Amino acid sequence: MNSNKLDGTKFRIIPLGGLGEVGKNMMAYEYGDNLLVVDAGLMFPDNDMLGIDYIIPDFQYLLANRQKVRGIVVTHGHEDHTGAIKHLLDQIQAPIYTTPLTRGLLEVKLSRGGQLGQSRLNTVRAGDTVQIGPFQVEFFHVCHSIPDGVGLGITTPAGLVVHTGDYKFDHTPVDNWPTDYAKLAEFAGRGVLALLADSTNADKPGWTPSERVIDAAFDQVFREAPGRIIVASFASLISRMQQVANAALNNGRRLAFAGSSMVENARIARKLGYLDIPDDLQVSLEQALRMSPKEVALMTTGTQGEPTSILGRLSTGTNRQFDILPGDTIVLSSHPIPGNEEGVNRTINRLFRRGANVIYESIAPVHVSGHARQEEMKLLLHLVKPKYFIPIHGELRHLRQHAALARQVGVPQENIAVVENGQVVEIQNGKMHIAERIPGGYVFVDGSGVGEIGPSVVREREILARDGFVLVNLILDRATCRLVEEPEIITRGFVHTPEADELFDATRRMVSQAVDCSSNGRMQQDLVETLKSFFYTKTKRRPMVFVTLSRA
Amino acid sequence: MNSNKLDGTKFRIIPLGGLGEVGKNMMAYEYGDNLLVVDAGLMFPDNDMLGIDYIIPDFQYLLANRQKVRGIVVTHGHEDHTGAIKHLLDQIQAPIYTTPLTRGLLEVKLSRGGQLGQSRLNTVRAGDTVQIGPFQVEFFHVCHSIPDGVGLGITTPAGLVVHTGDYKFDHTPVDNWPTDYAKLAEFAGRGVLALLADSTNADKPGWTPSERVIDAAFDQVFREAPGRIIVASFASLISRMQQVANAALNNGRRLAFAGSSMVENARIARKLGYLDIPDDLQVSLEQALRMSPKEVALMTTGTQGEPTSILGRLSTGTNRQFDILPGDTIVLSSHPIPGNEEGVNRTINRLFRRGANVIYESIAPVHVSGHARQEEMKLLLHLVKPKYFIPIHGELRHLRQHAALARQVGVPQENIAVVENGQVVEIQNGKMHIAERIPGGYVFVDGSGVGEIGPSVVREREILARDGFVLVNLILDRATCRLVEEPEIITRGFVHTPEADELFDATRRMVSQAVDCSSNGRMQQDLVETLKSFFYTKTKRRPMVFVTLSRA
């Protein structure tokens, strides 16, 4: 019997993303010399991460153990679960396992970076079981705001672990494929060592409404709209595309998709059978723009207030192919990601200003969340009956709230681990405990660089963003230490220069007097300090100050 | 009969703030040579108005007509209605009319700027009527999230105008003083020419819950909290202070206020009789910190995620007087102002991380809005029965939605004016029409400067915030046009310098070769362009680039 030996091996749960922050979900499971990676997402930066394009998980731990990585499982096709896979594949060659739609969406991304050829992609379907190293992975269907999502039952030598991915319990999903309750109950029958479950909506009471509630709202909008209808949503919300197509069909309108990601995703989803659009329902954008407004519906992206999206450009009148027409009805079928509220509201106001009627979440039920709420979370816990519970996918406040729900349904406090990214949890001899911390922070991606922007650069950008900078360039006579020319002043982001001539005249006078060659090596530094306090006194602002010095 | 003559004079409604944006509410009413100003608020900047402290209305129109200003009426004591009064008084000396609490809070602000002495403050009470030039102003009580708020019935020669200020129809307000329904009905009996009403919650269905619902939630928190309780709210939410005091009294805890604005506002409200706190209930912060955690409740500010507020500093462990203790219960009795969601969530997560339990709006009903929702708005319209309707206080989307509600209750479309700041509305001979636009934008206040920061400076800050800057300082030999020294490079916010040595070595080599004195006057400009495309090629970023040039 070697069961004792197996039990004694450490089973490690290694959260690399998605715990304590939303949006860059990534998890690794380790047993002996084997690592299984689940998802690798990106997140968009907070408003104060200035100039950063996006953020990916810090997977140093995987790089240090790259020979142990047996596979990468992807639960569904959203960016926050797939966006960092291309960066991972740059460094680690491991087979990928996904369902058909997820694979289709991922292939688009990988082919853009020229990585599709070398990638080892394997198609799995809900109900399949795959052996990946010592991990036997059972894929089970979950409802989410994208079709073909799966959760995982991972049988390890240490026991059975259930990992939900993003899920909800929609009884009437658009594709009529509910979450696999029976499988969850079957897992419970076998005995579940640990459950790791989506916490996104843990502070929302009740039950997330079914996607179906949107149908009635769409139908009303499509019936009453006096002109064109433009529905904005995420490019990956395939089920929303289906609902818009249904509403168009029922109300005698043709449907066109606008924007490359939306067009491409719709094409793949149709090809793979996840989107049912009759051929004569769909028209090209060019055709749609030539038709009478009452006869068309457009679908596009830009629900997060992104200025460069089609909806963003429509709101500022800078879209290339078409403009808002008075009488257009715009539907934002979406919810702002935290931090985007202001930009979204501004876009809505601008669209109103251009003569459109805008319908958004608080006006009519044109969007529902793809994530379970509190009552669904309790149902999951009762179905799965885990020994240990680890809330995942959420900010710390969501994880804490999810833990409170678990206690309410009877999971003992000591069997719950609320951890953040980088905090390893170990199970050994059937006992869970908190282990060491590994790097679990951000990696910034900016322009073409990955990770070369650190917090210090962002901090510099913050100061520049607040008060700008002033540079004073001095040319001194080598012999007399007198200024050869008037000091040159370069400033940006500090004061409105035409109105600040007086300030800079005073600065020049002040500098001329303050030049003191006797201080020698410290002159530049002294001048910087003098200028800093001068500017603060005059303006109550603290620009960055630089002095350059040449001797002629 | 001179009624024809009077009718022929233009009555002008001049929105200077609060229409199309939230937060800097200001309105002027003009009849002949007379102007009545209602409120003058500030707003906090959007996330992309980098480095701006706050924003006030552009009141150029009033400055150009300063001799016509007969008075300034302030409806209630919130910043978004009072914050720009000090700037207005810098330029226009006019008597101010406010209720006692509003006056008390305003006096604190004015005395800080040394303006209290010259200000002509007049106390009015709900029910009073005051003649201000040709305007007979009747003050009537409205419920809001601060006591002593008033709406205005303004009898002008053109007719009766009702201006609500911020209001809601709370049947059980904390101070037991409901909105004056009878007065509104009485106005209707006299015939109301125009209604201007608060639109803040126009996209929220139903009826805003009574402030009373908070009592039960507070009571449960106070009963169950294992240690200290820290309630965070706005310093001007006097009724919330009363509710916290009641909960403390009912649950055997003493109450201390922390933070100067909260302490000062509580002092004034108590002195003026708007806050009922028994002497032995309130203790100083110092006393509270010496007591057993179970015996105290603290009340403080910082609900908007402001890093420098007490709650913000507690969340980062940088508060001077006290720290979070494990077991503390923190209540955020507030709702994030749009744009602050991210900062608020971050603060909540940090407080959890420091061991506190955090209770916020979505966890328990610890906050309600101070503004009417859709059903209340309809009630108001039915009570007041105005001929013309102008929605105020809200973003454009709220104003449009409020207009839709007015149409639903029977106001004809042509009798509704949805306008933004600076768009004058005229009523002449009993007919409303849209008149000219006047300046109605922002004035930025940054440091000690008012208005000297324009959009161009903010735009510079944006570029600096995104990609930073690079400055190259060259010293050339006057005769040979050779570089006398290695080019000096100063950069911030662009790349992480230790890792970018290679980039800047290449930059130096490139610059040395590119120096070309034959181009003469264009050399600097050419170098800037060359460097810009060099940096973009290498990094896909676009920093600001500067070249300074000296000849030795």
Side-chain angles (χ1 to χ4, degrees), chain A residues 161-292:
Chain A
V161 173
V162 175
H163 178 117
T164 65
D166 290 353
Y167 81 99
K168 65 192 244 189
F169 285 125
D170 194 338
H171 295 304
T172 51
V174 173
D175 62 4
N176 295 313
W177 193 2
T179 296
D180 193 346
Y181 304 92
K183 192 70 183 173
L184 292 168
E186 194 225 296
F187 288 145
R190 287 193 244 160
V192 173
L193 178 69
L195 169 68
L196 292 91
D198 177 9
S199 313
T200 308
N201 279 343
D203 61 4
K204 302 244 164 42
W207 192 289
T208 296
S210 171
E211 301 274 329
R212 288 277 186 219
V213 307
I214 296 171
D215 287 341
F218 273 3
D219 231 52
Q220 188 180 355
V221 171
F222 273 66
R223 221 168 32 241
E224 296 177 358
R228 282 193 310 199
I229 296 170
I230 302 173
V231 181
S233 194
F234 286 110
S236 58
L237 220 59
I238 311 291
S239 59
R240 205 57 50 83
M241 294 181 189
Q242 185 66 61
Q243 293 181 291
V244 173
N246 295 349
L249 190 66
N250 294 341
N251 291 278
R253 288 178 185 254
R254 303 297 187 89
L255 175 63
F257 295 103
S260 58
S261 57
M262 198 131 217
V263 169
E264 186 66 358
N265 287 355
R267 190 186 63 73
I268 289 163
R270 269 185 90 185
K271 193 180 89 180
L272 298 174
Y274 291 90
L275 188 55
D276 177 22
I277 301 184
D279 279 337
D280 60 348
L281 182 67
Q282 192 176 339
V283 295
S284 71
L285 181 60
E286 292 69 27
Q287 287 173 296
L289 295 177
R290 285 195 301 268
M291 292 169 66
S292 146

Side-chain angles (χ1 to χ4, degrees), chain A residues 353 360 420 460-461 493, chain B residues 203 353 360 420 460-461 493:
Chain A
R353 207 168 284 136
Y360 52 101
E420 294 193 84
E460 289 170 3
R461 290 177 182 174
Chain B
D203 61 5
R353 207 168 284 136
Y360 52 100
E420 294 193 83
E460 290 169 2
R461 290 178 183 174

Side-chain angles (χ1 to χ4, degrees), chain B residues 5 109 136 144 147 187 200 205 270 325 526:
Chain B
K5 172 174 163 279
K109 284 182 211 295
Q136 190 194 62
H144 183 45
F187 287 145
T200 308
R270 270 186 89 184
L325 304 175
D526 289 348

Side-chain angles (χ1 to χ4, degrees), chain A residues 349-419:
Chain A
N349 290 327
R350 284 176 178 158
L351 291 167
F352 268 121
R353 207 168 284 136
R354 304 192 86 79
N357 184 30
V358 189
I359 294 167
Y360 52 101
E361 210 182 2
S362 55
I363 303 291
V366 291
H367 180 69
V368 296
S369 170
H371 300 270
R373 289 193 181 185
Q374 291 180 349
E375 295 308 309
E376 292 161 275
M377 293 175 174
K378 294 178 201 166
L379 174 59
L380 177 75
L381 283 153
H382 276 312
L383 279 171
V384 175
K385 296 193 176 72
K387 180 173 177 189
Y388 296 116
F389 175 61
I390 303 176
I392 60 171
H393 304 170
E395 300 171 35
L396 185 54
R397 62 198 176 106
H398 302 123
L399 307 180
R400 287 288 169 94
Q401 198 58 31
H402 204 175
L405 296 174
R407 286 195 301 273
Q408 282 173 31
V409 300
V411 183
Q413 166 79 49
E414 62 274 19
N415 286 10
I416 302 171
V418 174
V419 293

Side-chain angles (χ1 to χ4, degrees), chain B residues 370-386:
Chain B
H371 301 270
R373 289 192 179 184
Q374 292 180 348
E375 294 309 308
E376 293 161 273
M377 292 174 172
K378 294 179 199 165
L379 174 59
L380 178 76
L381 283 154
H382 276 312
L383 278 170
V384 175
K385 297 190 174 75

Side-chain angles (χ1 to χ4, degrees), chain A residues 46-47 203 342 345-346 349 353 360 395 397 420 446 452 460-461 465-466 493 496 539 541, chain B residues 46-47 50 203 342 345-346 349 353 360 395 397 420 446 448 452 460-461 465-466 493 496 541:
Chain A
D46 289 353
N47 281 316
D203 61 4
E342 204 168 27
N345 292 343
R346 195 184 296 131
N349 290 327
R353 207 168 284 136
Y360 52 101
E395 300 171 35
R397 62 198 176 106
E420 294 193 84
D446 177 22
E452 67 188 51
E460 289 170 3
R461 290 177 182 174
R466 203 171 49 226
H496 191 46
T539 66
R541 284 170 227 158
Chain B
D46 289 353
N47 281 316
L50 298 169
D203 61 5
E342 206 168 26
N345 292 343
R346 196 185 296 131
N349 290 327
R353 207 168 284 136
Y360 52 100
E395 300 171 35
R397 63 198 175 107
E420 294 193 83
D446 176 21
S448 64
E452 68 188 51
E460 290 169 2
R461 290 178 183 174
R466 202 171 51 228
H496 191 45
R541 287 172 224 156

Side-chain angles (χ1 to χ4, degrees), chain A residues 315 345-358 360 363, chain B residues 18-22 199-200 202-203 391-404 417-421 423 437:
Chain A
S315 77
N345 292 343
R346 195 184 296 131
T347 304
I348 293 173
N349 290 327
R350 284 176 178 158
L351 291 167
F352 268 121
R353 207 168 284 136
R354 304 192 86 79
N357 184 30
V358 189
Y360 52 101
I363 303 291
Chain B
L19 273 72
E21 307 130 15
V22 187
S199 312
T200 308
D203 61 5
I392 59 172
H393 304 172
E395 300 171 35
L396 185 55
R397 63 198 175 107
H398 302 124
L399 306 179
R400 286 286 169 92
Q401 198 58 30
H402 204 175
V418 174
V419 293
E420 294 193 83
N421 295 331
Q423 179 56 65
R437 284 198 79 93

